[in-house]
């Protein structure tokens, strides 16, 4: 029945066209972009961009510039991290193979649309520095000088961090210029005569980094004449964004504002078209699967949902079996994936297989956040196939240095959410195959007919011995939640406390166990590697953020949110356009 339901919904979802036209490797991600724009006295601009990028597939990197008008691009050149200066071959041919593009760069122009392209060369973590000139960058509006420029927009790759600097021989400050930033989560500010734009978080697909800048008249000679009113451009930009006066000027910096998202409206319209068909399908599914239960026992005795407290760890301390049964009991849901990831990591730390080394990570301006690094260069003695697969994921996220650093796995999960989904789905399959081999789980199927359509009803039937394990899990959860009732004189060994923390993580109640440690085992942090001051906090944050990134990416890919279609930008903005690897 599950396969029939999935087939029906798959056919419906085919009606929704795919908007993605760029294909790049699952391990390709853009770590950092640094852009330095120098405004010349004649109103032109020289731009230097540095891309720190991991590349595993494709033949070239490209960047698109839209609506450039009279702002022509020229003098394009590229240097890579090995010091190789690329040959500019003029007009670029995207159909050349990887070897023919290696060490070369070029341009594609279609009216006022430009594409700057260059060959990838070797795969791996690479750094490319490319430069170009933009004519007629600074505009002479009716009432002031300035510009409205998107340094990029609608990138297929999602930069994890971007810093943009705008400088000139004129020192910019609050007395001679005004600045507004749109399209990203972050800040814009004056810094020693320069204007700095910096992201506060990863730039989502479809977003942009746009700077609207007002400059005093006569600052630049030969600024390009533009018959628009700067005030009208500003009003258009603000009207299309989430701008709020009270959050704009923060003294030392100004907040950037995202543009409004029309994705929800578009999705609503699309789904309205197929709504009637979907409703009929859902009604039929509900009507003919209402009698289905997730599981039952072959002796037909119901599970006791109020078993006594249980202090030992059930399931022979098998994390995956414990997770599977807890889900079947409804103690956790499919959304509580982070608990299992945290439990596995805590066990590895407990066994001294890995260690979360404390680090500080720069965010933006002078702010820092608590971070970590995990050295994965050495193999660890794990034998379970599911654990081995997870360890491989960590290594893929860590990259060539095999040191997993702050946010790397979160970024990897965002790009590889399908692998994460498949891994969690394989847990149920793995446990159920084990139980079927042991004849502890059988599948019973009955059939009914409606409107000459035959429907099957399948029920997983567990051996009665499984009930005891499930009741022990419920009893353990009760015990962990009510540990405050324990006699303070009763001693629980540190090793058992560690096991409690690991399995409580799966049940999403590790915080409750930690609360009791200070009272019942005050020396725990000195005796255990699972200290509650740093390790527990960092592991749970790591697991939560990574699984959230995977979940959000999965929802976005299915049309339920996440990646957005942003509108707005103010009248007459130039620049922007997509970019990435192809």
């Amino acid at each position: 029945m599950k396969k029939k339901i999935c087939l029906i919904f798959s056919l419906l979802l085919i009606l929704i066209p795919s908007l993605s036209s760029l294909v790049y490797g699952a391990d390709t991600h853009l770590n950092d972009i640094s852009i330095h724009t120098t405004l010349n006295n004649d109103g032109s601009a020289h731009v230097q961009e540095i891309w720190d990028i991991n590349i595993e597939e494709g033949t070239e990197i490209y960047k698109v510039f839209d609506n450039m008008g009279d702002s022509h691009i020229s003098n394009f050149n590229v240097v890579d991290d090995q010091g190789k200066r690329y040959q500019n071959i003029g007009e670029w041919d995207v159909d050349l193979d990887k070897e023919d593009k290696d060490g070369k760069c070029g341009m594609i122009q279609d009216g006022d649309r430009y594409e700057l392209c260059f060959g990838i060369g070797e795969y791996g973590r690479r750094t490319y520095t490319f430069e170009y000139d933009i004519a007629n960058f600074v505009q002479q509006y009716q009432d002031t000088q300035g510009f409205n420029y998107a340094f990029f927009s609608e990138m297929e790759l999602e930069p994890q961090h971007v810093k943009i600097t705008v400088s000139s021989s004129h020192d910019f400050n609050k007395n001679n210029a005004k600045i507004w930033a749109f399209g990203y989560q972050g800040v814009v500010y004056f810094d020693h005569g320069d204007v700095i734009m910096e992201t506060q978080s990863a730039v989502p697909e479809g977003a942009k980094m746009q700077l609207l800048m007002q400059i005093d008249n006569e600052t630049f000679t030969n600024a390009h004449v533009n018959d628009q009113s700067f005030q009208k451009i500003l009003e258009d930009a603000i009207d299309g964004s989430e701008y709020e006066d009270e959050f704009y000027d923060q003294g030392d910096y100004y907040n950037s504002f995202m543009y409004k998202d029309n994705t929800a409206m578009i999705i609503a319209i699309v789904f309205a078209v197929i709504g009637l068909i979907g409703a009929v399908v859902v009604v039929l599914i509900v009507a003919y699967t209402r009698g289905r239960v997730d599981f039952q026992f072959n002796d037909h005795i119901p599970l006791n949902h109020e078993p006594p407290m249980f202090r030992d760890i059930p399931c022979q301390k098998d994390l995956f079996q414990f997770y599977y049964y807890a889900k079947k009991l409804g103690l956790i849901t499919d959304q509580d994936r982070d608990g299992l990831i945290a439990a596995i990591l805590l066990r590895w730390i407990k066994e001294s297989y890995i260690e979360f080394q404390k680090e500080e990570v720069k965010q933006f301006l002078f702010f820092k956040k608590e971070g970590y690094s995990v050295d994965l260069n050495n193999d660890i003695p794990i034998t379970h196939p599911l654990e081995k697969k997870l360890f491989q994921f960590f290594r893929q996220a860590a990259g060539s240095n095999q040191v997993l650093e702050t946010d790397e796995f979160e970024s990897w999960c965002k790009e590889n959410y399908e692998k994460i989904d498949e891994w969690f789905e394989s847990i149920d399959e793995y446990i159920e195959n084990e139980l079927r081999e042991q004849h502890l789980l059988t599948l019973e199927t009955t059939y009914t007919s409606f409107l000459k359509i035959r429907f099957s009803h399948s029920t997983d039937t567990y051996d009665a011995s499984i009930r005891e394990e499930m009741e022990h899990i419920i009893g353990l959860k009760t015990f962990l939640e009510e540990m405050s009732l324990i006699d303070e004189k009763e001693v629980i060994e540190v090793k058992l406390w560690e096991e409690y923390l690991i399995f409580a993580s799966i049940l999403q109640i590790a915080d409750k166990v930690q609360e009791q440690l200070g009272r019942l085992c005050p020396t725990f942090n000195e005796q255990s590697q699972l200290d509650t001051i740093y390790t527990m906090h960092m592991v749970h944050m790591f697991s939560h953020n990574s699984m959230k990134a995977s979940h959000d990416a999965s929802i976005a890919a299915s049309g339920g949110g996440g990646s957005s279609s942003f509108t707005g930008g103010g009248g007459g903005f130039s620049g922007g356009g997509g970019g990435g690897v192809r």
Side-chain angles (χ1 to χ4, degrees):
M1 192 61 186
K2 284 183 179 178
K3 292 182 178 179
K4 287 186 177 181
I5 294 173
C6 291
L7 178 61
I8 292 170
F9 276 104
S10 296
L11 292 173
L12 289 175
L13 292 175
I14 289 174
L15 297 175
I16 304 174
S18 172
L19 300 179
S20 174
S21 60
L22 179 69
V23 178
Y24 54 86
D27 292 327
T28 296
H29 54 275
L30 188 50
N31 305 308
D32 185 86
I33 294 180
S34 175
I35 302 177
H36 193 149
T37 301
T38 303
L39 304 183
N40 302 314
N41 286 330
D42 63 358
S44 64
H46 178 76
V47 183
Q48 180 193 73
E49 300 198 24
I50 303 174
W51 287 22
D52 175 359
I53 184 171
N54 287 69
I55 311 177
E56 299 300 335
E57 289 189 12
T59 63
E60 67 179 65
I61 290 176
Y62 74 101
K63 182 174 178 180
V64 177
F65 301 77
D66 287 321
N67 307 316
M68 294 300 289
D70 294 328
S71 299
H72 310 296
I73 295 180
S74 61
N75 300 325
F76 175 45
N77 65 83
V78 181
V79 178
D80 68 13
D81 48 17
Q82 299 172 1
K84 180 190 291 185
R85 185 168 294 277
Y86 286 30
Q87 176 189 358
N88 191 321
I89 61 174
E91 185 175 351
W92 187 257
D93 183 356
V94 297
D95 295 324
L96 293 176
D97 59 29
K98 181 174 179 290
E99 288 71 24
D100 290 334
K101 293 178 181 179
D102 187 9
K104 298 181 178 67
C105 63
M107 184 187 302
I108 300 171
Q109 183 178 358
D110 181 9
D112 65 351
R113 183 182 188 274
Y114 297 79
E115 288 188 32
L116 301 183
C117 313
F118 55 90
I120 289 171
E122 297 178 2
Y123 291 137
R125 184 160 188 172
R126 304 297 309 277
T127 299
Y128 302 94
T129 300
F130 56 100
E131 302 183 38
Y132 49 92
D133 294 325
I134 304 177
N136 301 319
F137 189 88
V138 179
Q139 307 290 300
Q140 178 63 61
Y141 298 108
Q142 293 176 3
D143 42 4
T144 188
Q145 291 186 346
F147 58 86
N148 187 19
Y149 185 78
F151 290 88
F152 63 79
S153 66
E154 300 177 355
M155 297 272 287
E156 271 71 21
L157 294 175
E158 300 179 6
Q160 298 305 297
H161 174 263
V162 182
K163 183 177 181 180
I164 298 171
T165 303
V166 178
S167 62
S168 81
S169 59
H170 307 280
D171 285 345
F172 297 127
N173 54 62
K174 292 184 177 183
N175 296 322
N176 60 21
K178 295 181 180 179
I179 48 178
W180 297 263
F182 299 96
Y184 65 100
Q185 293 286 352
V187 296
V188 60
Y189 55 96
F190 295 105
D191 181 49
H192 297 92
D194 297 338
V195 175
I196 308 292
M197 305 169 71
E198 189 164 9
T199 57
Q200 197 170 351
S201 59
V203 180
E205 182 180 344
K208 66 177 67 172
M209 290 192 73
Q210 176 183 334
L211 177 62
L212 178 57
M213 184 169 180
Q214 179 181 343
I215 306 169
D216 282 353
N217 273 326
E218 302 180 1
T219 301
F220 292 91
T221 61
N222 301 322
H224 184 258
V225 176
N226 190 317
D227 61 3
Q228 297 182 86
S229 163
F230 184 88
Q231 185 61 34
K232 180 64 167 61
I233 292 173
L234 174 59
E235 290 172 358
D236 288 347
I238 289 176
D239 183 59
S241 73
E242 298 174 351
Y243 176 89
E244 294 185 39
D245 274 333
E246 60 268 32
F247 296 116
Y248 165 60
D249 189 346
Q250 300 300 307
D252 293 335
Y253 64 92
Y254 305 91
N255 278 317
S256 173
F257 296 94
M258 299 293 287
Y259 278 114
K260 295 175 182 177
D261 183 6
N262 288 335
T263 304
M265 180 178 67
I266 294 171
I267 292 173
I269 293 173
V270 171
F271 276 92
V273 175
I274 61 173
L276 289 177
I277 299 174
V280 171
V281 172
V282 170
V283 168
L284 288 174
I285 291 172
V286 171
Y288 292 99
T289 61
R290 184 171 295 173
R292 182 189 176 107
V293 295
D294 284 333
F295 65 88
Q296 66 180 23
F297 299 103
N298 58 16
D299 58 1
H300 305 295
I301 299 175
L303 182 68
N304 176 13
H305 285 280
E306 294 184 1
M309 289 195 299
F310 189 76
R311 299 191 175 201
D312 296 328
I313 308 296
C315 303
Q316 296 80 48
K317 299 184 180 181
D318 186 314
L319 297 176
F320 297 101
Q321 192 177 103
F322 187 96
Y323 173 78
Y324 173 84
Y325 288 154
K327 275 203 312 176
K328 284 294 180 183
L329 289 165
L331 300 179
I332 57 175
T333 70
D334 284 328
Q335 304 304 315
D336 296 321
R337 294 176 169 186
D338 59 310
L340 178 60
I341 300 296
I344 294 171
L345 289 171
L346 291 173
R347 176 165 284 179
W348 290 353
I349 294 170
K350 174 178 176 290
E351 300 297 332
S352 299
Y353 297 160
I354 63 171
E355 180 181 1
F356 272 67
Q357 291 282 355
K358 188 173 184 179
E359 290 185 353
E360 281 191 338
V361 180
K362 181 181 178 183
Q363 283 188 291
F364 69 102
L365 295 177
F366 49 81
F367 296 101
K368 293 183 179 180
K369 70 175 181 178
E370 199 173 45
Y372 60 84
S373 65
V374 183
D375 191 340
L376 302 177
N377 280 284
N378 298 321
D379 290 328
I380 62 177
I382 50 177
T383 58
H384 199 292
L386 291 170
E387 287 188 71
K388 285 185 174 181
K389 189 69 173 178
L390 182 63
F391 188 70
Q392 290 175 10
F393 290 165
F394 291 150
R395 279 188 160 175
Q396 291 173 20
S400 59
N401 68 352
Q402 291 297 278
V403 176
L404 189 63
E405 297 171 321
T406 307
D407 298 336
E408 281 189 330
F409 190 59
E410 182 179 342
S411 299
W412 187 90
C413 287
K414 187 183 299 182
E415 295 180 9
N416 296 274
Y417 64 89
E418 291 178 329
K419 291 183 179 180
I420 294 295
D421 289 345
E422 290 170 0
W423 186 79
F424 275 95
E425 289 169 3
S426 70
I427 295 174
D428 288 1
E429 182 179 351
Y430 182 90
I431 298 299
E432 288 174 2
N433 284 341
E434 279 192 331
L435 295 176
R436 294 186 200 284
E437 289 175 1
Q438 299 170 34
H439 305 292
L440 299 177
L441 175 63
T442 57
L443 188 66
E444 296 181 359
T445 304
T446 57
Y447 299 91
T448 58
S449 296
F450 178 75
L451 298 177
K452 297 184 179 181
I453 301 175
R454 195 182 189 199
F455 292 88
S456 63
H457 301 260
S458 298
T459 303
D460 278 329
T461 302
Y462 292 82
D463 185 82
S465 62
I466 302 300
R467 182 193 300 103
E468 184 177 9
E469 290 284 23
M470 291 187 172
E471 290 184 344
H472 287 167
I473 292 174
I474 298 173
L476 176 65
K477 183 173 186 290
T478 303
F479 169 69
L480 295 177
E481 289 179 324
E482 299 181 4
M483 293 182 75
S484 58
L485 302 178
I486 296 177
D487 186 343
E488 293 188 18
K489 295 180 182 179
E490 184 176 346
V491 177
I492 299 178
E493 293 184 355
V494 168
K495 290 183 178 180
L496 186 53
W497 275 113
E498 291 174 334
E499 295 290 351
Y500 285 158
L501 285 170
I502 291 170
F503 285 88
S505 297
I506 297 177
L507 296 173
Q508 301 290 316
I509 57 171
D511 55 336
K512 295 183 179 180
V513 176
Q514 286 180 230
E515 288 177 6
Q516 307 304 321
L517 277 171
R519 182 176 66 87
L520 299 174
C521 187
T523 61
F524 178 82
N525 287 337
E526 288 74 35
Q527 300 181 60
S528 172
Q529 296 185 69
L530 307 187
D531 65 278
T532 59
I533 298 174
Y534 174 78
T535 303
M536 288 294 297
H537 166 70
M538 191 55 63
V539 166
H540 280 277
M541 183 179 70
F542 169 93
S543 304
H544 172 78
N545 292 345
S546 301
M547 293 303 100
K548 184 179 185 301
S550 169
H551 174 73
D552 290 348
S554 179
I555 293 297
S558 65
S563 298
S564 305
S565 298
F566 297 95
T567 61
F573 85 92
S574 57
V581 176
R582 63 188 173 194

